[in-house]
Amino acid sequence: MLNKLNQILWGTFLFTFPFSLRFVVYEQFSYRFGNFNPWVTGFIYLPEILLGVVFILWLIEKFRILHFTFRISWSWILLFLFIVNAGVITFLNGNLILFGFFALRILEAIIIYLLIVDQLLPPKTIIKILLAAASLQIIWGWMQWKLNHSLGLTWLGEAVVSSETMGVAKTDVAEGIKQIRPYGSFLHPNILAAYLMVIMFISLSYLKKYRLLFWLIFLTGGIYFTHSRAAALITLVGFGAIILFSFLKEIKIKRWISLITLIILILGNVWFFQNSYAVKITDTSWQERLEQNVISHNMFWQNPIGVGTSNFTLEMENFSADKLMPWNFQPVHNTYFLALNETGAQGLILLLIAIAIIFYRYWKTPPDGFLGDSNFIPLLVLVLIAPFDHFLWDSFIGIILIAITIGFFRTNINPESIESNL
């Protein structure tokens, strides 16, 4: 009975975690720049509370049947070192309360990973729940687009948006006419796009024939509809990787392609980190991102060990050549650069080692057939979209998407239990 109840609660969390139902519990620096700054504000989300209940009930069940084992691996050691490093740097240079919220999100990611790997709900059931939730978000976003404003569902966490609201993501449909981009219940269309992309690629190996075709069209359409150029590009790369890997039978060739992809990713990020000041783009949003890269570059060379978690926006005005307007105080739109600035070179190195280990273990003993390759793609698209935004680092949704992706990766590559290593 207890386990059945917990399965219902776990399924409810998986369906509702996109709902941005949150309340402020810490706001010491929130209005320092004139505009409200969510990046230095401590939020608690209602789905987090639900996740806490699920975890407690799961632990009670585990202790009741005396079936809970855990083995330490290099992956867990790296995660521990990463968190310790972030805590120490934040203690020295930042705010420990903000680090507490960051650490809480990491703990929640671990919990989600454990619940998926332990199969509190079967993977196929989770996929059905995630697809149903994604469908709701697409329909919700379409209605917002059709009306050109939000639906008034603030009690479900919907942001208040319209074509006249300042700071809302919009597109130009004609001279002087603005069309809002779909938000669903998310805080930004780019996060909605990444959410749909991750769910789509995770679901591929669980869908067959006509259902597969339907969901591919529906979810791809939803991603395109958000007007997230980064998500659209990475989605195409993901499909290209699936097609390419389906023709390649030699594991060694796949390993080399993966290695080359990672090398190109690293070199591309290094080049932009060093040369963003020289890149000229007329698009305003991309120019703002390049200016953030320059600030990130200057901040790193002044603070190579890091400025502390959630401290980027509090420090960025000290490294900008121009006076920043209140709306300019945003984290650098590159997860790797943000990790570098906030946890230092040593933090980014630990993060890259962890990514390399996951890739290595997959290509060391990859599963056979389509399941194996399609299982690898969600990890690949997350790694590739990280340079285009910061939500994977500093948002509740982003960290959950990482946890779900790694949980399914671990389940599919070696579907035994949490008794084995990550």
Side-chain angles (χ1 to χ4, degrees):
M1 179 64 71
L2 183 63
N3 190 59
K4 185 64 177 179
L5 171 63
N6 209 23
Q7 288 178 331
I8 295 173
L9 295 177
W10 173 226
T12 303
F13 168 81
L14 292 168
F15 187 84
T16 61
F17 77 80
F19 295 176
S20 301
L21 293 164
R22 59 181 184 169
F23 50 91
V24 175
V25 295
Y26 180 75
E27 55 177 356
Q28 180 177 340
F29 307 107
S30 300
Y31 296 93
R32 172 175 154 182
F33 310 108
N35 281 10
F36 179 72
N37 185 347
W39 319 115
V40 292
T41 304
F43 295 100
I44 293 295
Y45 290 77
L46 288 183
E48 287 182 279
I49 299 174
L50 179 58
L51 179 63
V53 173
V54 172
F55 183 59
I56 291 172
L57 294 179
W58 180 74
L59 284 179
I60 291 173
E61 182 68 13
K62 285 295 178 183
F63 282 117
R64 186 182 68 83
I65 62 178
L66 298 177
H67 181 70
F68 186 83
T69 58
F70 190 80
R71 293 170 57 186
I72 297 176
S73 69
W74 278 109
S75 300
W76 293 109
I77 293 173
L78 282 171
L79 179 60
F80 174 76
L81 292 175
F82 180 81
I83 295 173
V84 169
N85 170 73
V88 170
I89 298 304
T90 307
F91 173 75
L92 295 174
N93 299 325
N95 182 290
L96 280 179
I97 296 179
L98 293 176
F99 167 74
F101 286 98
F102 177 79
L104 174 63
R105 301 286 140 72
I106 298 296
L107 174 61
E108 290 166 351
I110 294 173
I111 291 172
I112 291 169
Y113 165 82
L114 293 175
L115 294 175
I116 290 175
V117 172
D118 195 50
Q119 299 193 24
L120 178 58
L121 281 175
K124 289 185 178 180
T125 302
I126 294 179
I127 292 298
K128 291 178 181 178
I129 293 171
L130 293 177
L131 289 174
S135 300
L136 173 64
Q137 294 298 329
I138 292 174
I139 295 171
W140 196 335
W142 179 83
M143 294 178 67
Q144 291 170 338
W145 176 83
K146 190 70 174 178
L147 297 172
N148 210 16
H149 59 73
S150 52
L151 307 184
L153 302 177
T154 54
W155 54 280
L156 287 179
E158 182 187 41
V160 179
V161 296
S162 73
S163 59
E164 291 80 30
T165 306
M166 295 294 293
V168 170
K170 312 179 189 76
T171 56
D172 295 315
V173 294
E175 186 175 351
I177 300 177
K178 300 287 186 178
Q179 173 68 54
I180 68 166
R181 293 165 56 191
Y183 274 69
S185 64
F186 291 86
L187 298 176
H188 198 279
N190 291 347
I191 306 178
L192 169 58
Y195 167 80
L196 296 176
M197 180 180 68
V198 169
I199 289 177
M200 178 176 66
F201 283 118
I202 287 177
S203 303
L204 288 183
S205 58
Y206 294 88
L207 301 172
K208 305 298 181 184
K209 297 182 180 179
Y210 298 112
R211 294 181 68 242
L212 174 61
L213 180 60
F214 168 79
W215 285 110
L216 280 177
I217 296 173
F218 188 57
L219 293 173
T220 303
I223 294 168
Y224 174 79
F225 193 51
T226 64
H227 294 278
S228 172
R229 288 171 288 186
L233 173 63
I234 302 305
T235 298
L236 290 176
V237 172
F239 284 136
I242 290 176
I243 295 171
L244 178 62
F245 288 166
S246 67
F247 284 104
L248 299 175
K249 305 304 180 183
E250 289 289 333
I251 297 300
K252 288 183 179 180
I253 298 178
K254 296 181 181 182
R255 289 173 182 167
W256 276 108
I257 291 175
S258 301
L259 178 60
I260 292 171
T261 300
L262 288 178
I263 291 174
I264 292 174
L265 176 69
I266 293 173
L267 293 179
N269 276 275
V270 170
W271 190 91
F272 272 100
F273 189 70
Q274 291 291 114
N275 299 283
S276 286
Y277 70 92
V279 179
K280 303 301 179 184
I281 298 178
T282 56
D283 185 278
T284 303
S285 62
W286 283 103
Q287 189 60 45
E288 289 176 351
R289 295 188 180 201
L290 291 171
E291 292 170 358
Q292 292 172 354
N293 290 352
V294 174
I295 293 173
S296 174
H297 175 270
N298 296 338
M299 188 184 297
F300 168 72
W301 288 113
Q302 188 69 31
N303 300 274
I305 67 169
V307 298
T309 55
S310 303
N311 218 37
F312 183 90
T313 56
L314 296 178
E315 295 289 333
M316 64 186 298
E317 62 184 341
N318 299 323
F319 303 96
S320 174
D322 303 315
K323 179 176 175 57
L324 298 175
M325 295 294 101
W327 53 86
N328 294 136
F329 287 89
Q330 299 181 41
V332 59
H333 280 55
N334 185 308
T335 299
Y336 302 116
F337 295 173
L338 189 56
L340 176 67
N341 288 131
E342 294 192 349
T343 64
Q346 67 283 358
L348 180 61
I349 290 172
L350 289 171
L351 181 62
L352 294 177
I353 291 174
I355 293 173
I357 287 177
I358 293 175
F359 275 47
Y360 170 77
R361 287 187 174 171
Y362 176 76
W363 290 119
K364 183 179 180 181
T365 54
D368 295 328
F370 179 71
L371 174 62
D373 290 338
S374 63
N375 182 38
F376 174 70
I377 301 303
L379 285 171
L380 179 65
V381 297
L382 280 181
V383 168
L384 293 179
I385 203 171
F388 294 96
D389 219 313
H390 55 83
F391 64 87
L392 291 177
W393 177 263
D394 57 10
S395 78
F396 173 61
I397 300 297
I399 293 178
I400 289 179
L401 291 179
I402 294 173
I404 291 175
T405 300
I406 297 178
F408 268 90
F409 173 80
R410 171 65 179 80
T411 299
N412 290 338
I413 196 171
N414 189 4
E416 294 174 359
S417 70
I418 58 172
E419 298 178 12
S420 300
N421 294 339
L422 172 66

